[in-house]
Amino acid sequence: MTQQLSIFNTLTRKKEVFVPLNPPHVGLYSCGPTVYNEVHLGNLRTFSTFDVVFRYLSHIGYKVRYVRNITDCGHLTNDAGQGVDRIHEASMLEKLEPMEVVQKYTYGFHEVCRIFNILPPSIEPTATGHIVEQIEMVKRILENGFAYVVNGSVYFDVRKFMEKHSYGELSGRVVDELYENTRELDGQDEKRNAVDFAIWKAVSPNHIQQWSSPWGMGIPGWHLECSAMSSKYLGQQFDIHGGGMDLKFPHHECEIAQSIGAYGLAPVRYWMHANMLTVNGDKMSKSKGNSFLPGELFSGQHPLLDKAYAPMAVRFFMMQSHYASTLDFSNEALQAAEKGFRKLMSSVALLNSLPTAAASSSDITALRDRCYAAMNDDFNTPILVAHLFEAVRIINSVNAGTETITKADLVLLSTTVNDFVFGILGLKQEEEANNDLLGNLLNMILNTRTAAKQNKDFAASDKIRDELASMGIRIKDGKDGTTWSIEN
Ligand code: AMP
Ligand code: ZN
């Protein structure tokens, strides 16, 4: 494969050939969730995007170290470093320890990732597990003169930083305009300038999460967490940093300033931003009340949903648009995706039983090359999906006897479909199908048990019951027959 991967770098606003710093290694970081509530479908779009990036880079032979953090402290309700800590707020509301909140939503996030077939990253560091590294980074920024201490908090001094470096390059924000827009905010008296942001924040004694630092008890700044964890595991400069478009400013802009402020180096070579999942043109977000949780999607229990949707149909829906474009949710679009997904899957299921012939009517090598070309062009999954539908057409035609394929080409076609559909797009046959299979198998077993009971072979019927119980499947004999349930 001579094709090269190009990535649209949101820092330079150009598509660039991807050249890793230390091939074959690639360092990839993406901002993970703040675990104070359940992730919604919009968050999942961003996580699926970087899952595909991780999968594709690995597929083409790179040894990828993928770091996706868990923010379990320090993320305030206001990005400028004011407001309250989201985990603290959730712990007050839910009457739970902050770490119970963290555990609950981290577990939920992992469960949702498993359901959506989002691979675990290589390292999933938590902010609370890296307080020492964060304090060290704050110290360096202070030593370099780019921060100041007020009442136990440390603020990044944007004006000072701008005497030597540029600020606002990633987001295209002009600092003077920022001044205009942020001057009105309340409670900013501690800061020298409104654009400054907290890298360490003093908290009151009733704040449960807090750590001792050279500046007193406090919590790390959210922006600083990602800088400290990415540099620890990927180095002071690394290949790719991703996140949702809404994180460009201030989060990622601040990450750049902090790394330059601490180490004198721009941290990231290629910045990638996934665009927003929208509902009727509005960004999906919890605060707007237009977000669905994955569970609501699978059950169809949400006023905006006409019906339930299977996770893989939803993943396919996301893959049908390019990550850099906004993706608007609608029942019509999801239902169309569901149909397309079923068509793809039923065709893929035919691959093992296709007849072969002495010649092929289609050029499978060229099709495989086109699939790579699509992914090499800034991970263009919608174009890839279009090529995969060309594969569907070929499979269906060969199955119907209107086209032919050689044995070697069939192997190549199967490999292509397996690589791209399952390995790279991360789709899998619908769980529903698995559940049907499980249901059918259990009914079969229960019929055998009923027959054993009718024959008064209670030893056999009890053995079936006990063995199922040991697998976590509970059966209940009732008037209308035997029912089963899976224990949680
Ligand atoms: P948060 O937990 O709010 O920090 O968000 C986790 C990730 O989801 C971040 O990368 C956000 O940019 C991303 N995100 C939030 N809302 C959306 C949305 N509507 N569409 C796509 N990505 C989103
Ligand atoms: Zn981050």
Side-chain angles (χ1 to χ4, degrees):
M1 189 69 30
T2 51
Q3 299 163 351
Q4 278 181 307
L5 170 64
S6 296
I7 297 181
F8 184 82
N9 189 345
T10 38
L11 181 67
T12 58
R13 296 164 184 77
K14 280 197 211 97
K15 211 183 270 182
E16 297 172 358
V17 171
F18 177 61
V19 185
L21 274 170
N22 303 302
H25 301 279
V26 170
L28 169 66
Y29 187 92
S30 93
C31 296
T34 304
V35 282
Y36 70 111
N37 61 16
E38 286 177 75
V39 288
H40 59 64
L41 201 64
N43 304 131
L44 284 175
R45 185 189 192 201
T46 293
F47 297 128
S48 308
T49 295
F50 294 100
D51 180 53
V52 170
V53 170
F54 177 37
R55 285 167 180 268
Y56 188 62
L57 289 169
S58 307
H59 174 80
I60 58 177
Y62 290 120
K63 296 193 185 326
V64 188
R65 180 179 291 168
Y66 177 27
V67 182
R68 188 188 64 209
N69 71 297
I70 294 281
T71 296
D72 56 353
C73 71
H75 192 170
L76 305 186
T77 46
N78 171 313
D79 285 342
Q82 312 295 320
V84 286
D85 182 303
R86 293 174 196 221
I87 306 280
H88 179 79
E89 191 177 54
S91 92
M92 293 291 124
L93 277 170
E94 298 197 34
K95 301 200 169 27
L96 294 173
E97 270 288 320
M99 271 298 151
E100 281 181 289
V101 172
V102 164
Q103 200 62 52
K104 177 175 162 187
Y105 295 114
T106 303
Y107 180 76
F109 171 60
H110 287 162
E111 187 65 11
V112 166
C113 286
R114 194 186 57 73
I115 293 171
F116 274 92
N117 210 18
I118 293 171
L119 295 174
S122 330
I123 304 177
E124 194 170 45
T126 61
T128 55
H130 295 77
I131 300 292
V132 173
E133 288 81 353
Q134 292 169 82
I135 290 175
E136 285 308 308
M137 195 158 179
V138 174
K139 280 196 209 158
R140 286 185 85 128
I141 298 172
L142 272 168
E143 277 160 22
N144 293 341
F146 296 121
Y148 54 90
V149 185
V150 187
N151 302 330
S153 292
V154 187
Y155 293 99
F156 193 91
D157 191 340
V158 175
R159 275 287 182 217
K160 194 77 187 292
F161 180 75
M162 287 182 69
E163 287 169 10
K164 289 200 181 132
H165 307 281
S166 64
Y167 180 83
E169 214 175 306
L170 178 69
S171 58
R173 305 269 176 130
V174 180
V175 168
D176 288 335
E177 285 173 11
L178 291 174
Y179 275 87
E180 289 304 314
N181 295 337
T182 49
R183 206 167 282 161
E184 308 296 318
L185 290 178
D186 300 333
Q188 296 197 326
D189 36 315
E190 266 186 13
K191 296 200 255 174
R192 285 186 192 159
N193 288 300
V195 277
D196 295 349
F197 54 91
I199 51 180
W200 183 266
K201 186 89 184 139
V203 290
S204 63
N206 67 359
H207 203 277
I208 305 172
Q209 279 184 312
Q210 51 178 296
W211 291 267
S212 113
S213 78
W215 316 286
M217 297 301 286
I219 54 173
W222 171 46
H223 312 310
L224 191 89
E225 297 177 359
C226 285
S227 294
M229 292 187 273
S230 60
S231 58
K232 173 163 172 128
Y233 296 110
L234 300 174
Q236 292 175 5
Q237 203 173 44
F238 59 94
D239 297 301
I240 305 173
H241 191 316
M245 202 72 99
D246 56 338
L247 298 190
K248 253 189 187 178
F249 188 87
H251 188 54
H252 292 158
E253 201 71 76
C254 296
E255 277 189 45
I256 296 175
Q258 289 162 165
S259 290
I260 297 175
Y263 310 121
L265 277 176
V268 177
R269 308 241 311 180
Y270 302 84
W271 281 94
M272 286 182 70
H273 288 94
N275 215 326
M276 296 292 106
L277 182 74
T278 57
V279 184
N280 298 322
D282 271 345
K283 175 190 165 186
M284 179 179 282
S285 78
K286 196 159 183 203
S287 56
K288 287 201 176 111
N290 65 354
S291 62
F292 336 111
L293 303 178
E296 292 168 335
L297 205 69
F298 310 149
S299 65
Q301 301 295 310
H302 190 282
L304 283 166
L305 296 170
D306 287 353
K307 65 186 264 310
Y309 298 95
M312 284 302 116
V314 177
R315 183 164 175 130
F316 183 70
F317 165 69
M318 293 184 180
M319 297 301 142
Q320 278 182 309
S321 77
H322 188 239
Y323 74 86
S325 321
T326 53
L327 171 62
D328 199 48
F329 166 86
S330 72
N331 282 284
E332 294 71 33
L334 258 183
Q335 280 161 30
E338 196 171 48
K339 260 170 91 178
F341 175 67
R342 296 230 164 101
K343 189 171 167 199
L344 177 64
M345 285 301 151
S346 49
S347 204
V348 168
L350 295 173
L351 269 170
N352 288 335
S353 54
L354 288 185
T356 53
S360 295
S361 14
S362 299
D363 186 345
I364 307 298
T365 308
L367 175 65
R368 185 173 172 82
D369 284 352
R370 285 200 294 276
C371 290
Y372 278 105
M375 287 305 286
N376 284 335
D377 184 14
D378 192 28
F379 308 96
N380 201 324
T381 56
I383 302 285
L384 170 64
V385 168
H387 296 319
L388 291 172
F389 273 100
E390 170 62 7
V392 165
R393 193 198 57 74
I394 296 170
I395 294 168
N396 293 348
S397 302
V398 172
N399 189 49
T402 55
E403 275 199 44
T404 57
I405 193 162
T406 64
K407 205 167 171 193
D409 273 350
L410 181 56
V411 171
L412 191 62
L413 184 61
S414 297
T415 311
T416 304
V417 165
N418 279 316
D419 284 348
F420 286 91
V421 174
F422 301 116
I424 293 162
L425 291 181
L427 298 167
K428 54 181 182 183
Q429 293 284 4
E430 260 176 319
E431 294 228 332
E432 268 167 21
N434 296 337
N435 289 342
D436 288 351
L437 181 66
L438 177 69
N440 291 339
L441 281 172
L442 274 166
N443 287 338
M444 203 172 85
I445 294 167
L446 294 183
N447 288 340
T448 310
R449 180 169 169 270
T450 308
K453 269 167 76 175
Q454 280 163 355
N455 292 336
K456 305 222 177 310
D457 185 355
F458 296 112
S461 77
D462 288 350
K463 187 162 186 279
I464 292 175
R465 184 198 57 210
D466 295 343
E467 284 196 357
L468 287 175
S470 73
M471 290 178 233
I473 298 166
R474 221 151 87 122
I475 59 175
K476 208 167 144 198
D477 294 315
K479 270 210 314 284
D480 301 314
T482 308
T483 54
W484 58 271
S485 58
I486 297 177
E487 285 178 332
N488 288 322

